[in-house]
Amino acid sequence: MTSDSPASTDPDGRRTIMWFRRDLRLRDNPALLEACAEGAVLPLFVLDPHLWGPAGPSRRAYLAASLRALDAGLRALGAPGLQVVRGDPARRVPLAARAAGAARVHVAADFGPYGRRRDEAVERALGEAGVELVRTGSPYAVPPGEVVNGSGDHYRVFTPFYRAWQQQERPDPVPAPRHGAWVALEADTTEIPDPPLPPGLELPEAGEDATRDRWADFLEHRVDDYDEERNLPGTDGTSRMSVHLKYGEVHPRQLLADLARRRSTGAATYAKELGWREFYADVLWHQPRTAREYYKTQYANLAYDEPGELFAAWQEGRTGFPVVDAGMRQLRSVGWMHNRVRMITASFLVKDLHVEWQHGARHFLHWLADGDLASNNHGWQWVAGSGTDPSPFFRVFNPTGQGRKFDPDGSYVRRWVAELADPEQVPDPHEPSSEVRAAVGYPEPVVDHAEERREALARWERIR
């Protein structure tokens, strides 16, 4: 073990660990400030096989890039860099604490089903070694479990949750540490991974500096029009901050503080979207089974089809429904999909192809760089009619009508479906004729929407 940072000293010999997880930033990181105030800090990240294994190419690549940015930021503070180890955190964190001579391990609390179990196991293992796990802050403006109704129970509907959530006190953002003492592990560390990207997959720049630049650009140019333009996938009207929130390159309280100064309808609408993120995290905290099971259990009795060739066509963006295919191709190209199109593609899978939402949710999590369990899976349940505040099951999106409504000039479809890009060959990108489809090599629709809508509603009537 070394403690040779030229920019710091360790006069009292006290050592502690900052275990980074979903807070890959230096600014506005209360747990990091707590660690720095206590003594020399070992900045630690654990590559957990339980999380790394199921992650798809987008999340792996983005996480690695974010870790490299954090490592560079730590080195700029005089630290020896981010110390990365691989394995079960319940084993690796206590080993790191022993190697560093640390009496405490600082973290931001994790409220996800696996994160809670993991932290409990780490806490037990640390306790056996006389080391304390200290939780400071969380990835949320208001930690899950804190917003309750008058009877002390949690909210099951968004609107009253949001009203109560708005009234909660939130601490102000805090600065990054300006100096500190640091320690490093002498052995048994691993390099930050550099996983290959599939051909054609492009991800946004990672790291808190890139995040701040993207957020500043959104505040300056687009936030005031967000209420109108957020539903138009062909318009650059969203912030694309979801991936940065996923990895904690920025904290939502910073976004909320900036939005409060804007005083526009767009800023208020954006703050409400952050409220949805926190609502879904709260629901998952209270009912962790809903990560995989139906929130409204009666929908488990609905008749579904096993995923097969039609499911593969949906995954690969070759259903013959242009806006659906555009969304699924965007997903594989940039590890992200516009939220309005997420709803359209999800509805098509569940109600036109009659495939259970869990299959689609897994596919999204595999490809989304911003894949967040609570937001993704409860968003799918909303579309499937089985979640909180659900879209009624009888509301079956017509993909062609949705395309015309939200992509009126066809720019979104033309961007992501290359066969339909040329307006001279394809005058109507939302409903090209059979002749046009044949000429440009674009498939016919895999199903008849009107017929499948009737079938979906018939199945639903049987469980009402």
Side-chain angles (χ1 to χ4, degrees), residues 294-367:
Y294 289 86
Y295 182 86
K296 294 185 175 179
T297 56
Q298 67 268 32
Y299 281 84
N301 299 321
L302 192 70
Y304 296 100
D305 295 350
E306 287 298 316
E309 291 185 5
L310 293 183
F311 179 60
W314 175 84
Q315 290 178 304
E316 296 163 9
R318 49 181 180 84
T319 67
F321 288 87
V323 73
V324 173
D325 293 342
M328 301 308 293
R329 296 185 193 187
Q330 181 185 33
L331 175 63
R332 290 194 180 216
S333 296
V334 296
W336 184 83
M337 188 194 298
H338 190 279
N339 189 61
R340 169 56 58 176
V341 186
R342 295 190 198 201
M343 291 188 280
I344 296 169
T345 56
S347 177
F348 185 82
L349 181 69
V350 174
K351 298 175 183 177
D352 284 76
L353 303 186
H354 317 296
V355 173
E356 281 192 279
W357 66 267
Q358 293 94 330
H359 298 286
R362 281 194 293 271
H363 181 75
F364 271 29
L365 284 177
H366 180 79
W367 284 101

Coordinates of all heavy atoms in Angstrom, one line a residue, residues 294-367:
Y294 N -45.7 -8.8 -12.0 CA -46.8 -7.8 -12.3 C -47.1 -7.0 -11.1 O -47.4 -7.6 -10.0 CB -48.0 -8.5 -12.9 CG -47.9 -9.0 -14.2 CD1 -47.3 -10.3 -14.5 CD2 -48.2 -8.3 -15.3 CE1 -47.2 -10.8 -15.8 CE2 -48.1 -8.8 -16.6 CZ -47.5 -10.0 -16.8 OH -47.4 -10.5 -18.1
Y295 N -47.2 -5.7 -11.2 CA -47.6 -4.8 -10.1 C -49.1 -5.2 -9.8 O -49.5 -5.4 -8.7 CB -47.4 -3.4 -10.4 CG -47.8 -2.4 -9.4 CD1 -47.0 -2.1 -8.3 CD2 -49.1 -1.8 -9.4 CE1 -47.3 -1.2 -7.3 CE2 -49.5 -0.9 -8.4 CZ -48.6 -0.6 -7.4 OH -49.0 0.2 -6.4
K296 N -49.9 -5.2 -10.9 CA -51.3 -5.6 -10.8 C -51.3 -7.1 -11.2 O -51.3 -7.4 -12.4 CB -52.2 -4.8 -11.7 CG -52.3 -3.3 -11.2 CD -53.3 -2.5 -12.0 CE -53.4 -1.1 -11.4 NZ -54.4 -0.3 -12.2
T297 N -51.4 -8.0 -10.2 CA -51.2 -9.4 -10.4 C -52.1 -10.1 -11.4 O -51.8 -11.1 -11.9 CB -51.1 -10.1 -9.1 OG1 -52.4 -9.9 -8.4 CG2 -50.0 -9.6 -8.2
Q298 N -53.3 -9.5 -11.6 CA -54.3 -10.1 -12.4 C -53.8 -10.2 -13.9 O -54.3 -11.1 -14.6 CB -55.7 -9.5 -12.3 CG -55.7 -8.0 -12.9 CD -55.5 -7.0 -11.9 OE1 -54.7 -7.2 -10.9 NE2 -56.1 -5.8 -12.0
Y299 N -52.9 -9.3 -14.2 CA -52.4 -9.3 -15.6 C -51.5 -10.5 -15.9 O -51.2 -10.8 -17.1 CB -51.7 -8.0 -15.9 CG -52.7 -6.9 -16.2 CD1 -53.3 -6.2 -15.2 CD2 -53.1 -6.7 -17.5 CE1 -54.3 -5.2 -15.5 CE2 -54.1 -5.7 -17.8 CZ -54.7 -5.0 -16.8 OH -55.6 -4.0 -17.1
A300 N -51.1 -11.2 -14.9 CA -50.3 -12.4 -15.1 C -51.2 -13.5 -15.7 O -50.7 -14.5 -16.3 CB -49.7 -13.0 -13.8
N301 N -52.5 -13.4 -15.6 CA -53.5 -14.3 -16.2 C -53.8 -14.1 -17.6 O -54.5 -14.9 -18.3 CB -54.8 -14.3 -15.3 CG -54.5 -14.7 -13.9 OD1 -53.7 -15.6 -13.6 ND2 -55.2 -14.1 -13.0
L302 N -53.3 -13.0 -18.2 CA -53.6 -12.6 -19.6 C -52.9 -13.6 -20.5 O -51.8 -14.0 -20.2 CB -53.2 -11.2 -19.9 CG -53.6 -10.6 -21.2 CD1 -55.1 -10.3 -21.2 CD2 -52.8 -9.3 -21.4
A303 N -53.5 -14.1 -21.5 CA -52.9 -15.0 -22.4 C -51.8 -14.3 -23.3 O -52.2 -13.3 -24.0 CB -53.9 -15.7 -23.3
Y304 N -50.6 -14.8 -23.3 CA -49.6 -14.2 -24.1 C -49.0 -15.3 -25.0 O -49.1 -16.5 -24.8 CB -48.4 -13.7 -23.2 CG -48.9 -12.6 -22.3 CD1 -49.2 -12.8 -20.9 CD2 -48.9 -11.3 -22.7 CE1 -49.6 -11.7 -20.1 CE2 -49.3 -10.2 -21.9 CZ -49.6 -10.5 -20.6 OH -50.0 -9.4 -19.8
D305 N -48.3 -14.8 -26.0 CA -47.6 -15.7 -27.0 C -46.1 -15.8 -26.6 O -45.5 -14.9 -26.1 CB -47.7 -15.2 -28.4 CG -49.2 -15.2 -28.9 OD1 -50.0 -15.7 -28.2 OD2 -49.4 -14.6 -30.0
E306 N -45.6 -17.0 -26.9 CA -44.1 -17.1 -26.6 C -43.4 -16.3 -27.7 O -43.7 -16.3 -28.8 CB -43.8 -18.6 -26.7 CG -44.2 -19.4 -25.5 CD -43.6 -19.0 -24.2 OE1 -42.4 -18.7 -24.2 OE2 -44.3 -18.9 -23.2
P307 N -42.3 -15.7 -27.3 CA -41.5 -15.0 -28.2 C -40.9 -15.9 -29.3 O -40.3 -16.9 -28.9 CB -40.4 -14.3 -27.4 CG -40.3 -15.1 -26.1 CD -41.7 -15.6 -25.9
G308 N -41.0 -15.5 -30.5 CA -40.4 -16.3 -31.6 C -39.9 -15.4 -32.7 O -39.2 -14.4 -32.5
E309 N -40.3 -15.8 -34.0 CA -39.8 -15.0 -35.1 C -40.2 -13.6 -35.1 O -39.5 -12.6 -35.5 CB -40.2 -15.7 -36.4 CG -39.4 -17.0 -36.6 CD -39.8 -17.6 -38.0 OE1 -40.5 -16.9 -38.8 OE2 -39.3 -18.8 -38.3
L310 N -41.5 -13.3 -34.7 CA -42.0 -12.0 -34.7 C -41.3 -11.1 -33.6 O -41.0 -9.9 -33.8 CB -43.5 -12.0 -34.4 CG -44.4 -12.5 -35.5 CD1 -45.9 -12.4 -35.2 CD2 -44.1 -11.8 -36.9
F311 N -40.9 -11.8 -32.5 CA -40.2 -11.1 -31.5 C -38.8 -10.7 -32.0 O -38.3 -9.6 -31.8 CB -40.1 -12.0 -30.2 CG -39.3 -11.4 -29.1 CD1 -39.7 -10.2 -28.5 CD2 -38.1 -12.0 -28.6 CE1 -39.0 -9.6 -27.4 CE2 -37.4 -11.5 -27.6 CZ -37.8 -10.3 -27.0
A312 N -38.2 -11.6 -32.7 CA -36.9 -11.3 -33.3 C -37.0 -10.1 -34.3 O -36.1 -9.3 -34.4 CB -36.3 -12.5 -34.0
A313 N -38.1 -10.1 -35.1 CA -38.3 -9.0 -36.0 C -38.4 -7.7 -35.3 O -37.9 -6.6 -35.7 CB -39.5 -9.3 -36.9
W314 N -39.1 -7.7 -34.2 CA -39.2 -6.5 -33.3 C -37.9 -6.1 -32.8 O -37.5 -4.9 -32.9 CB -40.2 -6.8 -32.2 CG -40.4 -5.7 -31.2 CD1 -41.2 -4.6 -31.3 CD2 -39.7 -5.6 -29.9 NE1 -41.1 -3.8 -30.1 CE2 -40.2 -4.4 -29.3 CE3 -38.8 -6.4 -29.2 CZ2 -39.7 -4.0 -28.0 CZ3 -38.3 -6.0 -28.0 CH2 -38.8 -4.8 -27.4
Q315 N -37.1 -7.0 -32.3 CA -35.8 -6.7 -31.7 C -34.9 -6.1 -32.7 O -34.1 -5.2 -32.4 CB -35.1 -8.0 -31.2 CG -35.7 -8.6 -29.9 CD -35.0 -9.9 -29.5 OE1 -34.9 -10.8 -30.3 NE2 -34.5 -9.9 -28.3
E316 N -35.0 -6.5 -34.0 CA -34.0 -6.1 -35.0 C -34.5 -5.0 -35.9 O -33.9 -4.5 -36.8 CB -33.7 -7.3 -35.9 CG -33.0 -8.4 -35.2 CD -33.0 -9.8 -35.9 OE1 -33.4 -9.8 -37.1 OE2 -32.6 -10.8 -35.3
G317 N -35.8 -4.5 -35.6 CA -36.3 -3.3 -36.3 C -36.7 -3.7 -37.7 O -36.4 -2.9 -38.7
R318 N -37.4 -4.8 -37.9 CA -37.8 -5.2 -39.3 C -39.3 -5.7 -39.2 O -39.6 -6.7 -39.8 CB -36.9 -6.2 -39.9 CG -36.5 -7.4 -39.0 CD -35.6 -8.4 -39.7 NE -35.3 -9.5 -38.8 CZ -36.0 -10.6 -38.7 NH1 -37.2 -10.7 -39.4 NH2 -35.7 -11.6 -37.9
T319 N -40.1 -4.9 -38.5 CA -41.5 -5.3 -38.4 C -42.3 -4.8 -39.5 O -43.5 -5.2 -39.7 CB -42.1 -4.7 -37.1 OG1 -42.2 -3.3 -37.2 CG2 -41.3 -5.1 -35.8
G320 N -41.8 -3.9 -40.3 CA -42.6 -3.2 -41.4 C -43.4 -2.1 -40.9 O -44.1 -1.5 -41.7
F321 N -43.3 -1.7 -39.6 CA -44.0 -0.5 -39.1 C -42.9 0.5 -38.9 O -42.1 0.3 -38.0 CB -44.8 -0.8 -37.8 CG -46.0 -1.7 -38.0 CD1 -45.9 -3.0 -38.1 CD2 -47.2 -1.0 -38.2 CE1 -47.1 -3.8 -38.3 CE2 -48.4 -1.8 -38.4 CZ -48.3 -3.2 -38.5
P322 N -42.8 1.5 -39.7 CA -41.7 2.4 -39.7 C -41.2 3.0 -38.4 O -40.1 3.0 -38.0 CB -42.0 3.5 -40.7 CG -42.9 2.8 -41.7 CD -43.8 1.9 -40.8
V323 N -42.2 3.6 -37.6 CA -41.8 4.2 -36.4 C -41.3 3.2 -35.4 O -40.3 3.4 -34.6 CB -42.9 5.1 -35.8 CG1 -44.0 4.2 -35.2 CG2 -42.3 6.1 -34.7
V324 N -41.8 2.0 -35.4 CA -41.4 0.9 -34.5 C -39.9 0.5 -34.9 O -39.0 0.4 -34.0 CB -42.3 -0.3 -34.6 CG1 -41.7 -1.5 -33.8 CG2 -43.7 0.1 -34.0
D325 N -39.7 0.3 -36.2 CA -38.4 -0.1 -36.6 C -37.4 1.0 -36.4 O -36.2 0.7 -36.1 CB -38.5 -0.5 -38.1 CG -39.3 -1.7 -38.3 OD1 -39.5 -2.5 -37.4 OD2 -39.7 -1.9 -39.5
A326 N -37.8 2.3 -36.5 CA -36.9 3.4 -36.3 C -36.4 3.4 -34.8 O -35.2 3.5 -34.6 CB -37.5 4.7 -36.6
G327 N -37.3 3.1 -33.9 CA -37.0 3.1 -32.5 C -36.0 2.0 -32.2 O -35.0 2.1 -31.5
M328 N -36.3 0.8 -32.7 CA -35.5 -0.4 -32.4 C -34.1 -0.3 -33.0 O -33.1 -0.7 -32.4 CB -36.2 -1.7 -32.8 CG -37.6 -1.9 -32.2 SD -37.6 -1.7 -30.4 CE -36.6 -3.2 -29.9
R329 N -34.0 0.4 -34.1 CA -32.7 0.6 -34.7 C -31.9 1.7 -34.0 O -30.7 1.6 -33.9 CB -32.9 0.9 -36.2 CG -33.5 -0.3 -37.0 CD -33.5 0.0 -38.5 NE -34.3 -0.9 -39.2 CZ -34.4 -1.0 -40.6 NH1 -33.7 -0.1 -41.3 NH2 -35.2 -1.9 -41.1
Q330 N -32.6 2.7 -33.6 CA -32.0 3.7 -32.8 C -31.4 3.1 -31.5 O -30.3 3.5 -31.1 CB -33.0 4.9 -32.4 CG -32.3 6.0 -31.6 CD -33.3 7.0 -31.1 OE1 -34.5 6.7 -30.9 NE2 -32.8 8.3 -31.1
L331 N -32.1 2.2 -30.9 CA -31.7 1.6 -29.7 C -30.3 0.9 -29.9 O -29.4 1.1 -29.1 CB -32.7 0.6 -29.2 CG -32.4 -0.3 -28.0 CD1 -32.2 0.6 -26.8 CD2 -33.5 -1.3 -27.8
R332 N -30.2 0.2 -31.0 CA -29.0 -0.6 -31.2 C -27.9 0.3 -31.7 O -26.7 0.0 -31.6 CB -29.2 -1.7 -32.2 CG -30.1 -2.8 -31.7 CD -30.0 -4.0 -32.5 NE -30.8 -5.1 -32.0 CZ -30.5 -6.4 -32.1 NH1 -29.4 -6.7 -32.7 NH2 -31.3 -7.3 -31.6
S333 N -28.2 1.5 -32.2 CA -27.2 2.4 -32.8 C -26.5 3.3 -31.8 O -25.3 3.6 -31.9 CB -27.8 3.2 -33.9 OG -28.2 2.4 -35.0
V334 N -27.3 3.8 -30.8 CA -26.8 4.7 -29.9 C -27.1 4.4 -28.4 O -26.8 5.2 -27.5 CB -27.4 6.2 -30.2 CG1 -26.9 6.6 -31.5 CG2 -28.9 6.2 -30.1
G335 N -27.6 3.2 -28.2 CA -27.9 2.8 -26.8 C -28.9 3.6 -26.1 O -28.9 3.7 -24.8
W336 N -29.8 4.2 -26.8 CA -30.8 5.1 -26.3 C -32.0 5.1 -27.2 O -31.8 4.8 -28.4 CB -30.3 6.5 -26.1 CG -31.2 7.5 -25.5 CD1 -31.4 7.7 -24.2 CD2 -32.0 8.5 -26.2 NE1 -32.3 8.7 -24.0 CE2 -32.6 9.2 -25.2 CE3 -32.2 8.8 -27.5 CZ2 -33.5 10.3 -25.5 CZ3 -33.0 9.8 -27.9 CH2 -33.7 10.6 -26.9
M337 N -33.2 5.4 -26.7 CA -34.4 5.5 -27.6 C -35.2 6.6 -27.0 O -35.3 6.8 -25.8 CB -35.2 4.2 -27.6 CG -36.3 4.3 -28.7 SD -37.5 2.9 -28.4 CE -36.5 1.5 -28.7
H338 N -35.8 7.5 -27.9 CA -36.6 8.5 -27.4 C -37.8 8.0 -26.6 O -38.4 6.9 -27.0 CB -37.2 9.3 -28.7 CG -37.9 10.5 -28.4 ND1 -39.2 10.6 -28.0 CD2 -37.5 11.8 -28.4 CE1 -39.6 11.8 -27.8 NE2 -38.5 12.6 -28.0
N339 N -38.2 8.7 -25.6 CA -39.2 8.1 -24.6 C -40.5 7.9 -25.3 O -41.2 6.9 -25.0 CB -39.3 9.0 -23.4 CG -40.2 8.4 -22.3 OD1 -39.8 7.3 -21.8 ND2 -41.3 9.0 -22.0
R340 N -41.0 8.8 -26.2 CA -42.2 8.6 -26.8 C -42.2 7.3 -27.7 O -43.1 6.5 -27.7 CB -42.6 9.8 -27.7 CG -43.7 9.6 -28.7 CD -45.0 9.2 -28.0 NE -45.5 10.2 -27.0 CZ -46.6 10.1 -26.3 NH1 -47.4 9.1 -26.5 NH2 -46.9 11.0 -25.4
V341 N -41.1 7.0 -28.3 CA -40.9 5.9 -29.1 C -40.8 4.6 -28.3 O -41.2 3.5 -28.7 CB -39.8 6.0 -30.1 CG1 -39.7 4.8 -31.1 CG2 -39.9 7.3 -30.9
R342 N -40.2 4.7 -27.1 CA -40.2 3.6 -26.1 C -41.6 3.1 -25.9 O -41.9 1.9 -25.8 CB -39.5 4.0 -24.8 CG -38.0 4.3 -25.0 CD -37.3 4.5 -23.6 NE -36.1 5.2 -23.8 CZ -35.0 5.1 -22.9 NH1 -35.2 4.4 -21.8 NH2 -33.9 5.8 -23.1
M343 N -42.5 4.1 -25.7 CA -43.9 3.7 -25.4 C -44.6 3.0 -26.7 O -45.3 2.0 -26.5 CB -44.7 4.9 -25.0 CG -44.4 5.5 -23.6 SD -45.5 6.8 -23.1 CE -44.8 8.2 -24.0
I344 N -44.3 3.6 -27.8 CA -44.8 3.0 -29.1 C -44.3 1.6 -29.3 O -45.1 0.7 -29.6 CB -44.5 3.9 -30.3 CG1 -45.2 5.3 -30.1 CG2 -45.0 3.3 -31.6 CD1 -44.7 6.3 -31.1
T345 N -43.0 1.4 -29.2 CA -42.4 0.1 -29.4 C -42.9 -0.9 -28.4 O -43.1 -2.1 -28.7 CB -40.9 0.1 -29.5 OG1 -40.4 0.7 -28.2 CG2 -40.4 1.0 -30.6
A346 N -43.0 -0.5 -27.1 CA -43.5 -1.4 -26.1 C -44.9 -1.8 -26.3 O -45.3 -3.0 -26.1 CB -43.3 -0.7 -24.7
S347 N -45.8 -0.8 -26.7 CA -47.2 -1.2 -26.9 C -47.3 -2.2 -28.1 O -48.1 -3.1 -28.0 CB -48.0 0.1 -27.3 OG -49.3 -0.2 -27.6
F348 N -46.5 -2.0 -29.1 CA -46.5 -2.9 -30.2 C -46.2 -4.3 -29.8 O -46.8 -5.3 -30.2 CB -45.6 -2.4 -31.3 CG -45.6 -3.2 -32.6 CD1 -46.6 -2.9 -33.5 CD2 -44.7 -4.2 -32.8 CE1 -46.7 -3.7 -34.7 CE2 -44.8 -5.0 -34.0 CZ -45.8 -4.7 -34.9
L349 N -45.1 -4.5 -29.0 CA -44.7 -5.8 -28.6 C -45.8 -6.5 -27.7 O -46.2 -7.6 -28.0 CB -43.4 -5.8 -27.8 CG -42.9 -7.1 -27.3 CD1 -42.5 -8.0 -28.5 CD2 -41.8 -7.0 -26.3
V350 N -46.4 -5.7 -26.8 CA -47.3 -6.3 -25.8 C -48.7 -6.5 -26.5 O -49.4 -7.6 -26.3 CB -47.5 -5.5 -24.6 CG1 -48.6 -6.0 -23.6 CG2 -46.1 -5.5 -23.8
K351 N -49.2 -5.6 -27.3 CA -50.5 -5.6 -27.7 C -50.7 -6.0 -29.2 O -51.8 -6.4 -29.6 CB -51.2 -4.2 -27.4 CG -51.2 -4.0 -25.9 CD -51.7 -2.6 -25.6 CE -51.7 -2.3 -24.1 NZ -52.1 -1.0 -23.7
D352 N -49.7 -5.8 -30.0 CA -49.8 -6.3 -31.4 C -49.2 -7.7 -31.6 O -49.7 -8.5 -32.3 CB -49.1 -5.3 -32.3 CG -49.9 -4.1 -32.6 OD1 -49.9 -3.2 -31.7 OD2 -50.5 -4.0 -33.7
L353 N -48.1 -7.9 -30.8 CA -47.4 -9.2 -30.9 C -47.8 -10.1 -29.7 O -47.4 -11.3 -29.7 CB -45.9 -9.1 -31.0 CG -45.4 -8.2 -32.2 CD1 -43.9 -8.2 -32.2 CD2 -46.0 -8.7 -33.5
H354 N -48.4 -9.6 -28.7 CA -48.9 -10.4 -27.6 C -47.8 -11.1 -26.8 O -48.0 -12.2 -26.3 CB -50.0 -11.4 -28.0 CG -51.0 -10.8 -29.0 ND1 -51.8 -9.8 -28.7 CD2 -51.2 -11.1 -30.3 CE1 -52.6 -9.5 -29.8 NE2 -52.2 -10.3 -30.8
V355 N -46.7 -10.4 -26.7 CA -45.5 -10.9 -25.9 C -45.5 -10.2 -24.6 O -45.6 -9.0 -24.5 CB -44.2 -10.7 -26.7 CG1 -43.0 -11.1 -25.9 CG2 -44.3 -11.5 -28.0
E356 N -45.2 -11.0 -23.5 CA -45.2 -10.4 -22.2 C -44.1 -9.3 -22.1 O -43.0 -9.4 -22.6 CB -44.9 -11.5 -21.1 CG -46.1 -12.3 -20.8 CD -45.9 -13.1 -19.5 OE1 -45.2 -14.2 -19.7 OE2 -46.3 -12.7 -18.4
W357 N -44.4 -8.3 -21.2 CA -43.6 -7.1 -21.1 C -42.2 -7.5 -20.6 O -41.2 -6.8 -21.0 CB -44.2 -6.1 -20.2 CG -44.3 -6.5 -18.7 CD1 -45.4 -7.1 -18.1 CD2 -43.3 -6.4 -17.7 NE1 -45.1 -7.4 -16.8 CE2 -43.9 -6.9 -16.5 CE3 -42.0 -5.9 -17.7 CZ2 -43.2 -6.9 -15.3 CZ3 -41.3 -5.9 -16.5 CH2 -41.9 -6.4 -15.3
Q358 N -42.0 -8.5 -19.8 CA -40.7 -8.9 -19.3 C -39.7 -9.1 -20.4 O -38.5 -8.8 -20.3 CB -40.8 -10.1 -18.4 CG -41.5 -9.8 -17.1 CD -43.0 -10.2 -17.2 OE1 -43.6 -10.2 -18.3 NE2 -43.6 -10.7 -16.1
H359 N -40.1 -9.7 -21.5 CA -39.2 -10.0 -22.6 C -38.7 -8.7 -23.2 O -37.5 -8.5 -23.5 CB -39.9 -10.8 -23.7 CG -40.3 -12.2 -23.2 ND1 -39.4 -13.2 -23.0 CD2 -41.5 -12.7 -22.9 CE1 -40.0 -14.3 -22.5 NE2 -41.3 -14.0 -22.5
G360 N -39.6 -7.7 -23.4 CA -39.2 -6.4 -24.0 C -38.3 -5.7 -23.0 O -37.3 -5.0 -23.4
A361 N -38.7 -5.7 -21.7 CA -37.9 -5.0 -20.7 C -36.4 -5.5 -20.7 O -35.5 -4.7 -20.5 CB -38.5 -5.2 -19.3
R362 N -36.3 -6.8 -20.8 CA -34.9 -7.4 -20.8 C -34.1 -6.9 -22.0 O -32.9 -6.6 -21.9 CB -34.9 -8.9 -20.7 CG -35.2 -9.5 -19.3 CD -34.9 -11.0 -19.3 NE -35.8 -11.7 -20.1 CZ -37.0 -12.2 -19.6 NH1 -37.4 -12.0 -18.3 NH2 -37.8 -12.9 -20.4
H363 N -34.8 -6.9 -23.2 CA -34.1 -6.5 -24.4 C -33.7 -5.0 -24.2 O -32.6 -4.6 -24.6 CB -35.0 -6.6 -25.6 CG -34.4 -6.2 -26.9 ND1 -33.4 -7.0 -27.5 CD2 -34.6 -5.1 -27.6 CE1 -33.1 -6.4 -28.6 NE2 -33.7 -5.2 -28.7
F364 N -34.6 -4.2 -23.7 CA -34.2 -2.8 -23.5 C -33.0 -2.6 -22.6 O -32.1 -1.9 -22.8 CB -35.4 -2.0 -22.9 CG -36.3 -1.4 -24.0 CD1 -36.5 -2.0 -25.2 CD2 -37.0 -0.3 -23.7 CE1 -37.3 -1.5 -26.2 CE2 -37.9 0.3 -24.7 CZ -38.0 -0.3 -25.9
L365 N -33.0 -3.4 -21.5 CA -31.9 -3.3 -20.5 C -30.6 -3.8 -21.1 O -29.6 -3.3 -20.7 CB -32.3 -4.1 -19.2 CG -33.3 -3.4 -18.3 CD1 -33.5 -4.3 -17.1 CD2 -32.7 -2.1 -17.7
H366 N -30.7 -4.7 -22.0 CA -29.5 -5.2 -22.7 C -28.8 -4.1 -23.5 O -27.6 -4.0 -23.5 CB -29.8 -6.4 -23.5 CG -28.6 -7.0 -24.2 ND1 -27.7 -7.8 -23.6 CD2 -28.2 -6.8 -25.5 CE1 -26.7 -8.1 -24.4 NE2 -27.0 -7.6 -25.6
W367 N -29.6 -3.3 -24.2 CA -29.1 -2.3 -25.1 C -29.0 -0.9 -24.6 O -28.2 -0.1 -25.1 CB -29.9 -2.4 -26.4 CG -29.6 -3.6 -27.3 CD1 -30.3 -4.7 -27.4 CD2 -28.4 -3.8 -28.1 NE1 -29.7 -5.6 -28.2 CE2 -28.5 -5.1 -28.7 CE3 -27.3 -3.0 -28.4 CZ2 -27.5 -5.6 -29.5 CZ3 -26.3 -3.5 -29.2 CH2 -26.4 -4.8 -29.8

